[in-house]
Every structure is written in structure tokens, then in C-alpha cells.
Amino acid sequence: MGKIQAHNSESIRKMFSALSSRYDLVNTVVSFGTHHGWRRAAVAWSGARSGHRVLDCASGTGDLAFEFERACGRLGEVVATDFCEPMLQEARRKAERRDSRVRLEVADVLALPFDDAGFDISSIAFGIRNVADPVKGLAELGRVTRPGGYVMVLEFGRSRIPLWGRAYQLYSRSVLPRIGGLLTGERDAYEYLNSSSSSFPYAEDFLALAEQTRYFDQMEFRPLLGGIAYIYRLRRKEGAPS
Ligand SMILES: C[S@@+](CC[C@H](N)C(=O)[O-])C[C@H]1O[C@@H](n2cnc3c(N)ncnc32)[C@H](O)[C@@H]1O
């Protein structure tokens, strides 16, 4: 794969197809396993509980969806979607192994095939910065979530703690693409994933992006590991966006 610069749906889909079989392994190695805790924190903050209906978009290999399933129990329902079939194939294998009832479907975040307000919670983890039009993606998440329900977003940010921020920047710029490259043969993809993280809006700037959708009446964030990543919680307001 050549240098990845184009931020369009087709190049993103191709990139994740090429990474799919090693995606989980790289995640665990480069994050030292911490990403599981981040997902658990997002589910806990969402207030997901038995009987809830949840949609996880850009679900990839399904880790956040499986975490939601744990919270929603047998009475709930979790739907996981992604527009990259090979990533969902990995999720399918994992679902079989753990006897999961998560429903896996191919769908583009930019045109979700679901009715308005049909889910208690919708989510997207480490996906929104890869979506060609993030504001439209967030608006779609808002549309399918019921008033009073939450859109949960997990995404990389930048730490404002001086030494820590510099150290992590060095790690993510130099070490992470090397490890990703060694494990997958797709170093360019991990260089892109790093550069897209370091240019995407985070904290208040991400909330300003979400505000543009006019779907939310309460928007909050919590930094993880000093700001390396953030959890955003956006409450779906009553009525249509004005
Ligand atoms: C970095 S992975 C994150 C996967 C998973 N959510 C996780 O936390 O590990 C980004 C995912 O976003 C998906 N994606 C990007 N743009 C999308 C879109 N417009 N519609 C659906 N999925 C999309 C990719 O196919 C990929 O699986």
C-alpha cells in the first residue's frame, strides 16, 4: 500500500481490509492492553443497562459492542455495524467464540439504515476521525438515538501535560508505526492512523464539531491517560435539530 493521504471512504475501507486479521493484535501490543479499560469506562459512563438497545458504529472487530452486550444482558440488543466487511468478519469469529448475540451488519455511518430514535445509546470508538464527513457521521448517530439517550464517542486526543504529551507524541510518531508495520506489513497505515490522530479536534474542539449537528443538549468529555484519548458523552435532545 502506498502513502495514505486521501481521506475518502474507499481508501479507508481498503486500509482496514488490509489490516483486519492483525488489527486486534496490534491494538493490544501498542496500547499494552489499556484499550479494553477505555471501552469499559465508556460503557459505564453511558449508563447502559439490562434491556437497552445499543448501536455501535464503525465497530471494526467488535470490542466495544461486546462490552455493551455485557451491560445490556439477554434482555437487551446490540447491533454492530461497519462498512468494511473483512473487519466485521473478524468480529463474527469473535462473536462465535464467545457465544455472543451481537447483530453484525455492513453499514456506512454516513447513511445508517435505521429509523430515527430507535436506540437508547449509540457509539463509535476510534472511528469518527476516519469518517470522511465527521459532522454528518455524528448527526447520523444523533438521529438514530432516542431523546435523552447518549451518543458515546471514544477517540484519540493530545495530552496537555507537557512531558507526558511529548513522550507519547514521540512514541506514537516513531515507535507505534514501526510495531504496526512489523506485525501487519502495513506501516503506512499506522503512520496514517498516527497523523490522523494528531490532527483531529479533541476536547472542547471536538464538542464544537458535535455542536454543529444541533442534535445534542448536553455535551461532556473525560480525558483518559492524561488526554491520550477522550470519552465524549453527547445527550440527544428532544425534537429535531433546529
Ligand atoms: C480504528 S478502527 C476502530 C474499530 C473499533 N471501533 C475499535 O474500537 O477497535 C476504525 C473503523 O472505522 C470504520 N469506518 C471508517 N469510516 C466508516 C464509515 N463511513 N462507515 C462505517 N465504518 C467506517 C473502518 O472500517 C474501521 O473498522
Side-chain angles (χ1 to χ4, degrees):
M1 199 183 289
K3 278 256 175 277
I4 299 160
Q5 279 158 352
H7 194 72
N8 65 56
S9 296
E10 206 32 58
S11 61
I12 293 290
R13 202 190 331 246
K14 258 199 201 141
M15 182 180 83
F16 283 104
S17 298
L19 299 181
S20 58
S21 62
R22 292 287 176 102
Y23 176 82
D24 282 347
L25 173 66
V26 177
N27 264 2
T28 299
V29 172
V30 301
S31 76
F32 305 99
T34 49
H35 70 106
H36 292 299
W38 293 353
R39 292 174 210 282
R40 279 195 290 275
V43 171
W45 196 23
S46 76
R49 58 170 193 274
S50 177
H52 269 167
R53 251 196 118 213
V54 177
L55 172 68
D56 181 40
C57 294
S59 193
T61 58
D63 282 351
L64 185 59
F66 297 133
E67 212 51 65
F68 270 116
E69 185 180 36
R70 214 197 290 251
C72 298
R74 305 298 285 184
L75 298 175
E77 184 187 16
V78 180
V79 182
T81 62
D82 199 286
F83 73 175
C84 177
E85 175 57 39
M87 289 290 274
L88 281 184
Q89 197 54 43
E90 293 299 317
R92 221 162 267 134
R93 272 194 267 277
K94 282 155 75 174
E96 274 163 28
R97 278 204 300 274
R98 58 179 79 196
D99 199 20
S100 159
R101 291 166 56 245
V102 168
R103 227 172 78 202
L104 296 154
E105 291 181 18
V106 175
D108 192 326
V109 182
L110 296 172
L112 290 171
F114 303 108
D115 292 339
D116 295 359
F119 293 94
D120 298 291
I121 296 162
S122 66
S123 62
I124 185 163
F126 308 109
I128 196 66
R129 77 178 191 282
N130 297 306
V131 172
D133 182 344
V135 175
K136 188 162 179 218
L138 289 171
E140 271 296 85
L141 288 162
R143 179 185 67 76
V144 301
T145 306
R146 69 163 165 80
Y150 290 113
V151 172
M152 303 301 297
V153 181
L154 248 175
E155 194 48 270
F156 289 110
R158 259 98 68 209
S159 177
R160 292 166 177 165
I161 304 168
L163 266 181
W164 174 233
R166 289 266 299 285
Y168 182 75
Q169 214 180 24
L170 205 69
Y171 170 74
S172 67
R173 196 182 294 156
S174 313
V175 182
L176 194 151
R178 269 186 210 152
I179 299 175
L182 276 175
L183 293 175
T184 63
E186 302 286 342
R187 181 168 170 164
D188 287 337
Y190 283 93
E191 270 166 8
Y192 164 78
L193 289 174
N194 169 56
S195 63
S196 61
S197 306
S198 53
S199 54
F200 194 70
Y202 68 100
E204 298 82 1
D205 292 342
F206 177 83
L207 297 188
L209 205 70
E211 172 67 19
Q212 289 178 40
T213 68
R214 309 242 171 267
Y215 264 108
F216 309 113
D217 62 2
Q218 189 189 86
M219 302 187 297
E220 303 157 277
F221 62 78
R222 287 182 180 172
L224 297 164
L225 271 185
I228 286 175
Y230 284 80
I231 310 176
Y232 301 93
R233 189 171 79 161
L234 316 172
R235 191 173 66 186
R236 168 69 155 94
K237 70 177 188 187
E238 294 286 338
S242 49

